[in-house]
Amino acid sequence: MPENPHTWLHLLREIGQTAGAGLAATLAVLVKLLLSPTLSPRRALGTASAAMLAAWVGTDPLCHLLGWEGEQMRTLSAALLALTGENIVRRILDLSDNPAQLKALWDIWRGRK
């Protein structure tokens, strides 16, 4: 019976196929979450999930785009993408708590300020 490619277990197995990249992404996220006392468990899970997804989806395309070869460059790109994905989701969550800040950012984006 073929394995369903849309399960979390399959996702984790795909990340772990390259032990260095998976470990780098996981450690980067854990350090970031442990050093952030302001995250609730729910938000921590959300940001960690986004980080792992960013590393899983983006590592190979980033390495290909930049012409990086070798396991060390793959590991580095996985860690960087994990931290970037986590930070983007954290900023979105922070903005969702403050609608005035979100509107101000939107105005700046649209060139109104």
Side-chain angles (χ1 to χ4, degrees), residues 2-76:
E3 186 175 339
N4 181 356
H6 302 292
T7 64
W8 280 104
L9 182 59
H10 182 73
L11 172 64
L12 291 175
R13 192 171 296 133
E14 286 287 321
I15 292 170
Q17 279 184 352
T18 304
L23 183 61
T26 303
L27 289 176
V29 171
L30 285 176
V31 167
K32 182 98 176 192
L33 293 176
L34 289 174
L35 295 176
S36 178
T38 61
L39 284 180
S40 69
R42 187 171 141 200
R43 285 185 174 212
L45 180 62
T47 58
S49 298
M52 297 308 288
L53 184 64
W56 179 59
V57 169
T59 298
D60 289 334
L62 180 65
C63 288
H64 178 73
L65 177 72
L66 297 175
W68 291 353
E69 295 180 11
E71 190 59 31
Q72 289 179 329
M73 298 310 283
R74 193 175 192 300
T75 301
L76 173 66

Side-chain angles (χ1 to χ4, degrees), residues 7 12 15-17 19-20 22 31 35 38 44 46 51 54 70-71 74 77 79 87 89 92 97 101-103 106 108:
T7 64
L12 291 175
I15 292 170
Q17 279 184 352
V31 167
L35 295 176
T38 61
E71 190 59 31
R74 193 175 192 300
S77 64
N87 196 25
V89 170
I92 291 170
D97 286 341
Q101 187 179 12
L102 182 59
K103 183 178 179 340
W106 180 255
I108 290 170

